[in-house]
Amino acid sequence: MSYDEKEAIRNCQAGELEDFGLIYDNYIKKIYNFIYFKTLHKETAEDLTSLTFIKALEKIKQFDPNRGAFSAWLYSVARNNVTDYFRGKKDNADIEDIYDLADAHDLEIDSHNRLIFEEVSKYLNKLGVKQKEILIMRLWEGLAFKEIADKLNMTEANCKMIFYRAVLKLREELAIMLVYIIFLLT
Amino acid sequence: MNLNNQQLKEILDELYKLDDNLRAKEQELIKIIMEVAAKRLKVEFDDRFRIKLRARIMEQAKAGSSLASLTIKYNPMKKLIYAVSFAVLAVIIIVPSFYLLKEKKSAKFNLTRQAPILAINKVAANSFGSLISKVESTVQNQNTGAASFRASQANGAGEKTLDGKTQGAAGAPVNNAGREAMLDNSAKSAANLAPLGQGGSGVVADVSSVNPDAKIMPPYQIVTYRYVYKGKDLPEIQAQMDVLKRNKISPTDVNMADLVNGLNIGLADLNSFSGLNLQNVTFTQAGDNSYIISVSPEEGAISISQNWQAWPAAKCGNDFRCFENTQKVNESDMLPDAELFKITGAFLADHGIDKKFYGDPVVSYNWRILYEASPDKSNFYFPNSLDVTYPLKINDKTVYEEYNGQKQGLNISVDVKNKKVSNLYNLTTQNYDSSAYDMETDPKKIIAYAERGGVNNVYYIMKEGGNGKEVELELGNPELGYIRHYSYETGKNSEILVPALIFPVTNSPKDQPYYYRQAVVVPLAKEILTEREKQLNQQSVDFSGGAGGGVSGSEPAMLKAETRPVK
């Protein structure tokens, strides 16, 4: 079955909400992965994914195709749900994902990812929100910059630039760690 | 995610386009990029979650669509109606969504009550692969009769039972002893040979060895059934129709893994095993006439069975006289259909079991036919329970069993002595994927198959002047329905529903108590029908004394479809 997103959205906005199923099928795994990489907990990711699609169904009439891509709109709904979730967990702090947390020990993280999280969070928490998102989408999800740009409502050039700065930052951090290690050894 | 050379080169080229100076730091960059890529966190995406959420979303989408179209159609004040409609829709959607999240967080160990929904998700054609292997093992099970088929369901198709006890299974109750014993005893009082004309593979060893002058045993007579279609022209069958495969989603939204999270039961620390999830859970009720309830999130099923220890029969222990005096069932104990339906209906209502996917109940076994035919009614074994079936209906089509044409669905047994429900099984979640498959559209072929009696119908070819009898049975206008099959491939069982035409037998023989076929079922999926035709050609018993003589399994000339007259 071919998927015409624009037509599906038009139909949903006209009240034929059955076409929302096509939108759901196209985005469910992507949105789930996006949320999971921010929360690292299966049940939380499922909850927030559910909420994202419920809200998207409810608000689809408000989406204006002239203001950006549908994917960007949907990802922003997902991102807001994650932010709200962390605000609820950590006294309204401005936290966008689990890497931002200074101490994530009290948060539920899937056990099979706990060790890796502790390693990657050392450098990911030095990056900005957009830097992390783009780095994760490029290196972990293997998305092309054009796809990333659509999802984040940015230009492709901008995405590349943010990725470049993220890599430079990581290089800096690794250099600092190396100096620190050398300092400890001498 | 480990990057290959091509992917790595692409990333590096992108960076160099932005800053050519980075080329000098290539080795560092490669190290950073490869390390980050390799440290990809592992995502486990649960397909059951996807299916379940889709069903709920579509249910709400449907509710929203109906509401919007209804109000807009009949009221000229469209703007106001839009506002009101979407406000109501928002309430419909937002309230349950917060309820869903809130309940999940706060009610960690409570089984949440969810309204059951029917969901059918369309997938690409032929998505389930070949239907043949999915069908064959089911047909072989059916060869051994209803009781053992249901027993195989109880054991998860040959797999482990829930708690090692037969009564605790989340499929069918294994205790069909009543029916088996009745058949066994009544059969013994009539003849000591294989059931007559039952359509199974019951081949008699040597008919000629029966002594017609024997004082104790009556002469053995073989009956073969010939079917003739007497209905109208068949309805047009679409070249492709949807086959449905049931998705086994948990009947509850509660994450069953939470029930074991952090659980140290003393003998072992369950928390030390990562990725644990509950496969089955069994609850035992206290008190007289209580039940054992088994919930299988893995199978998406719930079954309810007698807690034997708490029912009156258990009080007799091994005392047969006590059982005879207090629990033996007599004719006066047998309940009419209306009373059976009252008991089952009340049970469903009392325990919050929704009937909305099921049609009107039917009693699935008619003991009275056997009783009327029994030559020794004083020794007749009255069954201690009677089965009621609430037939499953999907897309207005009823689900049938292929081998006997009986309706299939929610099964409830009623203990006739105690006038209570004793068992309930086949209560399952209703979530399906549907995939188009090629159907047989030639009415001649369909009717020819029906007139051969369908699956497992054995033809007995008689000796000229021998002790055999042929009975002609008429088939009426068919109904379009489904047949349910189970596949046991790769250690798991899956259920599929295949479109079928169900031809009712309009003149069941009154003098043949073991005749059980209520309808002849013709599966419409081309792949299955072709395979069935091959099987039918192999299912015959030749007593005519033809080539090979005596009993043979060789292919008889009379059974080929093209030699049978077809209307």
Side-chain angles (χ1 to χ4, degrees), chain A residues 39-56:
Chain A
T39 58
L40 300 186
H41 186 243
K42 180 174 174 281
E43 284 70 40
T44 304
E46 286 179 356
D47 278 349
L48 295 175
T49 303
S50 303
L51 192 58
T52 300
F53 281 97
I54 289 167
K55 281 189 178 174

Side-chain angles (χ1 to χ4, degrees), chain B residues 74-302:
Chain B
Y74 296 108
N75 195 315
M77 296 174 62
K78 284 189 183 174
K79 271 193 184 170
L80 177 61
I81 295 305
Y82 269 118
V84 170
S85 305
F86 286 106
V88 173
L89 177 62
V91 169
I92 290 170
I93 289 169
I94 292 174
V95 168
S97 69
F98 280 112
Y99 180 73
L100 180 75
L101 284 179
K102 187 180 165 197
E103 219 178 25
K104 199 164 174 179
K105 284 175 190 168
S106 61
K108 206 173 181 184
F109 293 100
N110 293 335
L111 294 175
T112 53
R113 169 123 171 87
Q114 301 277 349
I117 52 172
L118 170 67
I120 299 177
N121 316 304
K122 183 81 177 163
V123 296
N126 302 306
S127 283
F128 312 142
S130 168
L131 299 176
I132 295 298
S133 58
K134 287 175 170 50
V135 164
E136 292 321 292
S137 48
T138 303
V139 172
Q140 281 169 21
N141 277 331
Q142 290 168 351
N143 273 337
T144 57
S148 54
F149 176 70
R150 290 200 173 118
S152 76
Q153 264 187 282
N155 290 329
E159 293 172 17
K160 52 197 158 303
T161 56
L162 290 185
D163 57 359
K165 295 179 192 168
T166 54
Q167 65 185 8
V174 176
N175 180 32
N176 278 295
R179 183 179 303 115
E180 286 177 343
M182 174 173 58
L183 278 173
D184 198 33
N185 289 336
S186 296
K188 277 174 184 164
S189 71
N192 68 344
L193 297 172
L196 301 178
Q198 196 169 9
S201 55
V203 174
V204 178
D206 182 358
V207 175
S208 61
S209 69
V210 175
N211 181 358
D213 294 327
K215 290 188 171 63
I216 297 171
M217 305 308 300
Y220 182 79
Q221 185 179 58
I222 296 172
V223 179
T224 193
Y225 297 99
R226 184 180 289 275
Y227 296 89
V228 178
Y229 180 59
K230 297 281 191 187
K232 301 178 204 168
D233 288 344
L234 295 189
E236 196 177 316
I237 304 295
Q238 293 166 18
Q240 280 208 326
M241 289 172 72
D242 284 340
V243 170
L244 305 183
K245 180 178 171 187
R246 189 168 85 84
N247 294 311
K248 293 176 182 179
I249 56 173
S250 172
T252 173
D253 272 347
V254 168
N255 178 26
M256 299 300 267
D258 283 346
L259 294 175
V260 293
N261 195 16
L263 190 62
N264 187 335
I265 56 171
L267 291 176
D269 178 8
L270 298 188
N271 213 29
S272 65
F273 296 93
S274 63
L276 273 191
N277 204 349
L278 267 176
Q279 196 176 47
N280 298 295
V281 59
T282 302
F283 304 94
T284 304
Q285 190 186 21
D288 289 338
N289 302 318
S290 54
Y291 295 97
I292 292 176
I293 298 114
S294 303
V295 179
S296 174
E298 195 181 56
E299 290 291 316
I302 291 175

Side-chain angles (χ1 to χ4, degrees), chain A:
Chain A
M1 191 191 299
S2 65
Y3 170 61
D4 183 336
E5 185 167 285
K6 287 187 178 147
E7 193 183 332
I9 294 166
R10 261 199 307 272
N11 289 342
C12 287
Q13 291 181 325
E16 291 168 28
L17 292 170
E18 288 82 9
D19 273 15
F20 192 82
L22 300 172
I23 296 171
Y24 175 91
D25 291 337
N26 191 43
Y27 282 103
I28 177 64
K29 205 153 184 295
K30 296 170 191 174
I31 293 290
Y32 177 84
N33 284 359
F34 177 74
I35 293 174
Y36 184 83
F37 282 133
K38 287 179 175 287
T39 58
L40 300 186
H41 186 243
K42 180 174 174 281
E43 284 70 40
T44 304
E46 286 179 356
D47 278 349
L48 295 175
T49 303
S50 303
L51 192 58
T52 300
F53 281 97
I54 289 167
K55 281 189 178 174
L57 176 65
E58 171 208 333
K59 292 183 179 176
I60 195 160
K61 276 206 161 234
Q62 296 172 22
F63 166 67
D64 183 354
N66 298 320
R67 292 174 64 181
F70 178 79
S71 58
W73 180 79
L74 190 60
Y75 273 78
S76 72
V77 173
R79 189 181 298 107
N80 291 342
N81 286 336
V82 173
T83 307
D84 289 343
Y85 166 73
F86 280 114
R87 278 197 188 129
K89 286 273 177 189
K90 289 287 176 181
D91 299 327
N92 289 321
D94 195 13
I95 295 164
E96 302 252 355
D97 54 47
I98 200 160
Y99 312 100
D100 284 347
L101 292 168
D103 181 5
H105 287 293
D106 57 338
L107 275 183
E108 290 172 285
I109 292 177
D110 288 339
S111 54
H112 60 270
N113 276 327
R114 170 64 75 171
L115 209 57
I116 302 176
F117 164 73
E118 282 171 8
E119 290 177 30
V120 304
S121 63
K122 284 175 195 155
Y123 46 80
L124 286 184
N125 65 9
K126 303 286 191 293
L127 302 178
V129 171
K130 281 282 183 286
Q131 288 178 334
K132 266 181 295 205
E133 280 186 6
I134 291 171
L135 192 83
I136 287 171
M137 285 187 181
R138 188 74 187 89
L139 296 184
W140 286 356
E141 296 195 73
L143 300 179
F145 280 117
K146 185 168 183 339
E147 286 179 88
I148 297 172
D150 279 343
K151 285 165 179 33
L152 301 184
N153 201 24
M154 298 165 70
T155 63
E156 197 177 329
N158 202 4
C159 287
K160 285 179 182 175
M161 186 57 72
I162 293 174
F163 179 76
Y164 159 73
R165 288 191 190 125
V167 171
L168 286 186
K169 185 79 180 164
L170 288 180
R171 185 171 159 261
E172 243 177 66
E173 289 301 317
L174 279 173
I176 292 170
M177 273 167 59
L178 192 59
V179 166
Y180 182 64
I181 289 167
I182 291 169
F183 175 73
L184 285 177
L185 290 175
T186 56

